[in-house]
């Protein structure tokens, strides 16, 4: 079905509409063979609280952005190559239900659908697209994934030293390797994580010591079922040094 739609006028028109909704600030999305599989609003766990984001699933990429005017205008476009994606279901916790993790080497985050049926459809379609891509390319699924960040709201003190209390002055930071919420003194070091940045990024002292000695596995992020234990209040997403509007997530 995907192959049949690839060169259809209807598919070309649908992709063009998405491009227009992102405007000049968005990247061009029309390329030969690309098909828009589906779209919808999902709740993404952003830095200060869960926020609605518009998602578009293509046969090779996942695109999302902020909703300015529903079905008319979006901004802050993010494009994720599907061949790098793996997804894991999240157990329901309180008001946060029907969720799953989207994990890539560059960034990982949680999203939630309105219903269990919608969740199932999204996950099935994403998995099908990823499987088809890998089958065609002959590549193997990615084993490296960025940490899913622990929510700011779940840490009143540094998760490493267990002493420093967070205040408006003593800010929270996130280790890019393990995803823990840490204080400044416990995360002064930088380390090059090529999958996340071309420049050294902030990591906690614990991960720095392990990475420096080559013991990478010990500080690998361990988030799937255990991550759901942190999803009991408004969460945050990727960045202690940026705002919460997905500028860098």
């Amino acid at each position: 079905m995907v192959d049949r739609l690839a060169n259809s006028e209807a598919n070309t028109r649908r992709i063009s509409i998405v491009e227009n909704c992102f405007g000049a600030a968005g990247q061009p999305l029309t390329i030969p063979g690309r098909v828009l599989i589906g779209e919808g609003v999902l709740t993404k766990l952003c830095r200060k609280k869960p926020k609605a984001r518009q998602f578009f699933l293509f046969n090779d990429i996942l695109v999302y952005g902020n909703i300015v005017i529903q079905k008319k205008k979006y901004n802050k476009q993010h494009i994720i190559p599907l061949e790098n994606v793996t997804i894991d279901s999240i157990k329901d916790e309180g008001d946060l239900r029907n969720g799953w993790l989207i994990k890539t080497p560059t960034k990982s985050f949680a999203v939630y659908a309105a219903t269990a049926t919608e969740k199932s459809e999204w996950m099935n379609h994403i998995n099908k697209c990823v499987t088809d891509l890998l089958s065609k390319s002959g590549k193997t699924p990615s084993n490296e994934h960025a940490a899913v960040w622990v929510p700011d709201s779940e840490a009143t003190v540094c998760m490493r030293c267990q002493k420093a209390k967070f205040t408006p002055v003593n800010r929270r930071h996130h280790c890019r390797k393990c995803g823990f919420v840490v204080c400044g003194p416990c995360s002064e070091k930088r380390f090059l994580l090529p999958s996340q940045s071309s420049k050294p990024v902030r990591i906690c002292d614990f991960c720095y010591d392990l990475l420096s000695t080559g013991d990478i596995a010990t500080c690998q992020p361990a988030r799937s079922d255990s991550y759901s234990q942190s999803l009991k209040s408004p969460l945050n997403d990727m960045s202690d040094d940026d705002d919460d509007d997905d500028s860098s997530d």
Side-chain angles (χ1 to χ4, degrees):
M1 179 179 178
V2 170
D3 292 337
R4 189 174 74 249
L5 290 173
N7 298 313
S8 71
E9 290 185 9
N11 178 64
T12 301
R13 185 169 59 253
R14 292 177 68 203
I15 296 178
S16 177
I17 291 172
V18 176
E19 287 181 330
N20 292 336
C21 286
F22 278 104
Q27 295 294 314
L29 298 173
T30 302
I31 65 170
R34 176 168 289 165
V35 176
L36 178 57
I37 305 298
E39 62 182 271
V41 177
L42 299 173
T43 298
K44 181 175 180 290
L45 299 182
C46 298
R47 184 168 179 77
K48 298 300 180 184
K49 60 182 179 180
K51 294 183 178 181
R53 295 286 184 256
Q54 184 73 27
F55 280 77
F56 301 91
L57 177 64
F58 296 82
N59 59 333
D60 62 335
I61 58 174
L62 182 66
V63 178
Y64 70 91
N66 295 8
I67 301 170
V68 180
I69 303 174
Q70 182 63 49
K71 296 187 179 298
K72 291 185 178 181
K73 186 176 181 180
Y74 311 112
N75 63 13
K76 297 188 177 179
Q77 182 191 72
H78 293 258
I79 300 176
I80 303 173
L82 282 180
E83 66 179 11
N84 297 326
V85 168
T86 59
I87 57 177
D88 287 331
S89 181
I90 299 175
K91 293 179 180 178
D92 292 345
E93 290 283 348
D95 293 334
L96 293 172
R97 307 176 66 83
N98 310 314
W100 67 96
L101 298 179
I102 296 174
K103 303 190 297 183
T104 79
T106 304
K107 65 186 298 182
S108 302
F109 54 91
V111 293
Y112 287 82
T115 67
T117 298
E118 187 179 343
K119 169 187 174 178
S120 177
E121 290 176 348
W122 270 100
M123 293 188 70
N124 288 339
H125 284 305
I126 292 173
N127 276 328
K128 177 68 163 57
C129 289
V130 172
T131 299
D132 289 347
L133 275 175
L134 294 177
S135 176
K136 291 179 180 178
S137 68
K139 296 180 180 179
T140 57
S142 175
N143 291 321
E144 182 181 5
H145 304 111
V148 178
W149 287 18
V150 173
D152 283 3
S153 56
E154 292 298 315
T156 57
V157 299
C158 174
M159 296 178 70
R160 286 304 183 193
C161 70
Q162 300 288 320
K163 296 177 181 179
K165 293 184 178 180
F166 296 121
T167 68
V169 176
N170 187 30
R171 297 175 56 210
R172 293 170 172 83
H173 300 279
H174 280 87
C175 171
R176 267 63 171 179
K177 186 59 181 175
C178 67
F180 276 21
V181 183
V182 291
C183 64
C186 284
S187 59
E188 293 179 340
K189 297 182 173 64
R190 300 289 191 274
F191 198 92
L192 182 62
L193 301 177
S195 62
Q196 295 190 36
S197 175
S198 59
K199 299 179 180 179
V201 294
R202 181 190 295 272
I203 62 173
C204 68
D205 292 348
F206 177 79
C207 287
Y208 181 85
D209 291 342
L210 292 173
L211 289 167
S212 298
T213 59
D215 190 5
I216 299 175
T218 305
C219 63
Q220 285 289 345
R223 298 276 199 285
S224 56
D225 289 345
S226 62
Y227 179 68
S228 65
Q229 299 303 314
S230 297
L231 304 183
K232 298 178 181 177
S233 56
L235 304 184
N236 319 276
D237 115 11
M238 292 266 318
S239 177
D240 51 346
D241 297 318
D242 298 283
D243 62 27
D244 65 328
D245 292 324
D246 288 349
S247 59
S248 69
D249 278 68

